Amino acid sequence: MYMRALIAALAAALFIAAAGPQPVPASTLIRNAVVIDGTGAPGRRGDVRIAGDRIAAIGALSPADGERIVDAGGLALAPGFIDTHSHHDRGLDTARDALAMVSQGVTTIVVGQDGGGSDLAALFEKLERQPVSVNVASYAGHGAIRRRVMADDFKRHATAEEIERMKPLVKAEMDAGALGLSTGLEYDPGIYSAPEEVIALAKIAGDAGGRYISHIRSEDRWFWDAIDEVIAIGRVNRMPVQVSHIKLGMHDLWGQAEKLIGILDRARASGVQLTADIYPYTYWQSNLGVLYPKRNFDDPIETEFVLAHVSLPGDIIFNSFRAHPDYVGKTLADVAKLRGMSPAKTLLELLAEPGGEGAGIVAKGMDDRDVERLIQWPFANVCSDGTSTGLHPRGFGSFSKVIGPYVRDKKLFSLEEAVRKMSSLAASNVGFSKRGRIAPNYFADLVLFDPAVVADRADFGKAQAQAVGIKTVWVNGQVVFQDGKTTNLYSGRPLRRETPAR
Ligand SMILES: [Zn+2]
């Protein structure tokens, strides 16, 4: 201890002599916090020491010489939150401070979702060359790999030979550090895959020690079959499987959260390593095309069905539309009124335009009571599915909405359970062994916050409003967010899969 203090003092003296920048202290002592360690255990008064990029000690600690002291003032100290389904990598190379995330206490994002992750070697290399303020992990994307092999001829099952060509591409991404394979089976090109193709490619990820995460094949019409498919992949391949942004996404399904939880619990009881993530909103964000799983965009009967059962005309808001930028922020009902025709006719006309099916929408598809019940499932961790742009408030609000309104006002679960769902459970659901807990030798990703104040401020019409109540955020031992502002320290790291290949 004496040697360490002496070295710190010498280092400090040298810095002063050189009139250089303030030296980075050898360690930081956070005193007088309520430590919520991420396991779900009750918060306890205590101190936490950070040394370098790790948590060194927890308990009643005395300051060491030269140590930076942070008085937590009785606020809650938790492991940094882990967003297991994120699209926040978009724009992160120019907005490296990751404000949308760190302002909510998120210290790690998991990208490459919905079948989209590709060229992870390049992604990780770039994050090393030009780091950002959060840690970034990624899945390999089934859709991206399918496109590389099938190019534009993807609207069919892959041949056995094509699947053989996809396998080494999955393996290469696993070798680059992918957490596993992600699919987006409601999207092109994944929607055209046969279940056998997905099982075969997921197996490559599983054999490499990875996992499977899925935007399942249907979140509405064929929801129960889609749940069965993800369970089957876990069972057949004996690999962990995670349902992305779990939801009952159709009016006909509302009120069936108990049935769903029963199915999930029975699968787990039978040995399937099944988990889920979920965001705290009843609106999803996607494109017009996703409303039509058969891609029959000119079918009036299907269109009537969509607008009566999946999302109502007043609940579909345009988020982006290249041909009609003036529609952004308007609902389909608004646009129908402008055009002087029925919502169904309007939707058919829009879909007939070039690029119509790609129009971005935010749409209400879920019921609050289902969201609130599903988020309580003990194996569901919190995610955002968000970005830093667009109309959906989830990018800036998901985690704070859970810590604030869901815990404090709705009392869906304890604060400790909310933190567990954002930290140790999330870490375990994506395979991080040294993050998501406040424990010795874990990485010092930490968030200091006021549980009485934390709240989301983002909403429709002000989706980029910053959450409140987060005091300080550390990523790998360095402060990246303090009192409402990012510090422009980029201490996040690329996180490659830890599990060694079998
Ligand atoms: Zn998705």
Side-chain angles (χ1 to χ4, degrees):
M1 217 43 179
Y2 172 75
M3 275 306 288
R4 185 196 283 179
L6 185 67
I7 289 165
L10 274 172
L14 280 171
F15 267 102
I16 290 159
Q22 284 297 303
V24 177
S27 62
T28 298
L29 182 64
I30 306 169
R31 305 188 79 180
N32 193 25
V34 174
V35 178
I36 299 175
D37 69 4
T39 65
R44 289 213 321 236
R45 282 258 170 186
D47 313 320
V48 171
R49 173 168 287 125
I50 301 171
D53 61 359
R54 304 276 184 147
I55 295 163
I58 303 141
L61 306 174
S62 320
D65 286 348
E67 189 165 56
R68 180 178 174 228
I69 308 287
V70 174
D71 184 358
L75 297 184
L77 185 69
F81 304 144
I82 298 169
D83 187 351
T84 62
H85 188 108
S86 170
H87 299 285
H88 279 106
D89 49 330
R90 290 179 203 156
L92 200 52
D93 51 348
T94 49
R96 293 165 62 199
D97 66 347
L99 175 68
M101 290 137 272
V102 296
S103 58
Q104 297 182 72
V106 172
T107 54
T108 297
I109 62 172
V110 181
V111 303
Q113 302 290 345
D114 304 305
S118 70
D119 202 356
L120 301 195
L123 170 73
F124 293 148
E125 193 270 330
K126 186 177 178 190
L127 287 165
E128 253 148 24
R129 199 164 17 92
Q130 193 189 50
V132 298
S133 291
V134 289
N135 303 309
V136 181
S138 182
Y139 281 83
H142 165 242
I145 286 166
R146 198 167 203 267
R147 272 213 193 258
R148 277 174 66 190
V149 168
M150 301 175 76
D152 288 336
D153 180 25
F154 62 78
K155 294 186 177 178
R156 57 178 175 82
H157 286 179
T159 64
E161 182 265 339
E162 284 167 333
I163 293 171
E164 286 309 311
R165 278 161 54 208
M166 292 180 207
K167 286 179 180 176
L169 301 179
V170 177
K171 181 66 167 58
E173 296 288 24
M174 295 306 294
D175 290 345
L179 299 180
L181 185 71
S182 83
T183 58
L185 300 182
E186 244 182 351
Y187 293 118
D188 290 1
I191 195 169
Y192 297 97
S193 61
E196 295 71 27
E197 171 185 332
V198 181
I199 290 174
L201 298 177
K203 183 172 190 305
I204 303 298
D207 287 348
R211 32 195 79 231
Y212 177 73
I213 194 165
S214 182
H215 177 138
I216 60 176
R217 208 175 279 273
S218 174
E219 298 186 322
D220 42 71
R221 294 168 186 72
W222 303 293
F223 175 75
W224 305 111
D225 292 341
I227 287 288
D228 287 346
E229 180 178 13
V230 68
I231 291 171
I233 289 168
R235 193 184 309 283
V236 171
N237 287 339
R238 297 173 185 279
M239 68 193 295
V241 294
Q242 167 123 330
V243 179
S244 292
H245 42 62
I246 196 164
K247 61 173 71 81
L248 292 159
M250 180 182 192
H251 289 245
D252 309 38
L253 294 171
W254 290 6
Q256 300 191 54
E258 291 307 330
K259 174 182 170 183
L260 173 55
I261 287 172
I263 291 170
L264 303 177
D265 282 339
R266 280 194 294 281
R268 286 187 60 88
S270 74
V272 179
Q273 301 171 64
L274 173 68
T275 55
D277 50 41
I278 181 166
Y279 53 79
Y281 296 90
T282 57
Y283 282 76
W284 46 260
Q285 179 173 338
S286 187
N287 55 46
L288 277 184
V290 82
L291 293 168
Y292 292 75
K294 293 183 197 151
R295 304 296 188 255
N296 47 344
F297 302 127
D298 57 356
D299 187 333
I301 294 168
E302 183 83 8
T303 302
E304 294 287 354
F305 181 87
V306 165
L307 296 180
H309 296 264
V310 182
S311 204
L312 310 178
D315 288 340
I316 299 172
I317 311 167
F318 289 98
N319 180 60
S320 63
F321 206 145
R322 205 167 296 166
H324 302 285
D326 51 316
Y327 289 177
V328 172
K330 292 190 169 64
T331 67
L332 177 63
D334 296 334
V335 173
K337 206 169 285 173
L338 281 176
R339 292 188 165 216
M341 58 180 71
S342 73
K345 185 90 195 310
T346 304
L347 183 51
L348 285 163
E349 281 201 4
L350 294 175
L351 283 162
E353 294 179 10
E357 63 181 273
I361 54 170
V362 174
K364 180 174 165 82
M366 293 82 89
D367 184 68
D368 270 315
R369 283 161 297 185
D370 292 332
V371 174
E372 291 169 15
R373 180 65 188 98
L374 293 175
I375 204 168
Q376 291 176 306
W377 188 48
F379 305 97
N381 68 269
V382 178
C383 74
S384 76
D385 198 5
T387 64
S388 301
T389 58
L391 289 182
H392 203 302
R394 65 193 182 184
F396 276 79
S398 292
F399 288 79
S400 299
K401 186 175 178 183
V402 173
I403 290 278
Y406 274 24
V407 169
R408 206 169 46 230
D409 308 333
K410 293 176 182 281
K411 300 187 169 40
L412 295 184
F413 27 60
S414 66
L415 178 61
E416 286 84 353
E417 175 66 358
V419 167
R420 186 186 75 87
K421 285 175 171 293
M422 298 173 179
S423 55
S424 73
L425 178 66
S428 135
N429 287 357
V430 293
F432 302 144
S433 69
K434 283 283 176 258
R435 297 186 193 268
R437 282 180 60 189
I438 298 182
N441 209 32
Y442 272 61
F443 285 98
D445 296 341
L446 295 164
V447 51
L448 183 67
F449 64 98
D450 187 342
V453 173
V454 170
D456 56 315
R457 288 284 182 262
D459 206 340
F460 292 98
K462 46 169 188 161
Q464 282 76 47
Q466 201 176 309
V468 295
I470 303 293
K471 172 84 174 159
T472 311
V473 179
W474 289 261
V475 172
N476 296 309
Q478 297 200 44
V479 174
V480 299
F481 181 85
Q482 178 71 51
D483 294 318
K485 290 193 176 63
T486 53
T487 63
N488 295 312
L489 277 177
Y490 308 118
S491 56
R493 297 175 184 165
L495 302 185
R496 296 176 177 86
R497 185 182 75 266
E498 296 170 10
T499 332
R502 270 185 243 152

